[in-house]
Amino acid sequence: MVGVEDFEQIIGGVLQHQHIYRSNPDFEDRQQVCREKIWSLLQNQPDLKAQQNPYLFMILVNLMRDFGRKQARNQALQTRVQKTFRPELADRVSAKQFDFSLDLINFFQILPTTELKVIFNDMVKFPEATINERCRRLDLPRTTFKHRQRQLGQMYLRWHR
C-alpha cells in the first residue's frame, strides 16, 4: 500500500518549483499542507501514483499558490490592523491604551445583537484564544463564528472612520 511518505519526492519538487527552500520560514508548514492534501487524496484514490504524476503535481502547485495568496491576504490585514491600533508616540502609550479601551466600550454599546456582543466580549476577554477554543466556549459552529468575526471587523472599521 502507498503511504504519504512515498510522496516526499513530489512534495520536494513542488516546493522547489514554487521557490520554497528549507531556509524559508514557511517550508515546514507548506510541506505539511502538501502531505495533508495527499493524505486526503489517498483516502479516495488508494492507487494514487507517487512517481510520474503530473496531475498530482499541478494540484499541489495550485495548493501552494493558494497558500501563498492566503498568507499575503492575512499579512495585509494584519498590517492594516496594526496601522489602526499603533500608538504614534511612545510616551503616550498608556493614554492611547485608555482611549482604545474607551473606544472598545463605545463600540460594544452600538453592537446590534446580543450574539455579536457575546462574541466581541469573548474576543476582548481572551485575545490569545484560538478559534476552536472560542467556538467551544460560545457553542457556535466555526463557520458562523468566522462570519460574525468578519462582520465585527467590518463594523469596527466603518465605525472607527
Side-chain angles (χ1 to χ4, degrees), residues 40-51:
S40 69
L41 289 172
L42 280 172
Q43 300 307 307
N44 298 330
Q45 305 170 19
D47 58 339
L48 189 67
K49 290 187 341 184
Q51 304 292 324

Side-chain angles (χ1 to χ4, degrees), residues 115-123 138 140 145 148 152:
E115 182 184 39
L116 287 175
K117 287 182 180 186
V118 169
I119 292 171
F120 182 77
N121 196 28
D122 186 75
M123 292 169 72
L138 299 172
L140 283 173
F145 176 78
R148 299 292 184 264
L152 277 169

Side-chain angles (χ1 to χ4, degrees), residues 42-105:
L42 280 172
Q43 300 307 307
N44 298 330
Q45 305 170 19
D47 58 339
L48 189 67
K49 290 187 341 184
Q51 304 292 324
Q52 302 298 320
N53 193 339
Y55 176 71
L56 177 62
F57 186 85
M58 286 312 299
I59 288 174
L60 295 176
V61 165
N62 289 328
L63 184 68
M64 289 298 98
R65 289 177 181 160
D66 290 343
F67 186 86
R69 286 187 207 110
K70 182 178 178 184
Q71 273 194 315
R73 188 171 51 246
N74 287 342
Q75 185 64 36
L77 177 63
Q78 186 176 15
T79 302
R80 251 192 350 226
V81 168
Q82 284 175 349
K83 286 180 183 176
T84 304
F85 298 125
R86 185 184 305 152
E88 289 81 20
L89 301 172
D91 57 344
R92 295 189 184 175
V93 169
S94 60
K96 289 277 188 186
Q97 286 174 341
F98 180 72
D99 289 343
F100 180 66
S101 296
L102 288 177
D103 258 4
L104 292 180
I105 291 168

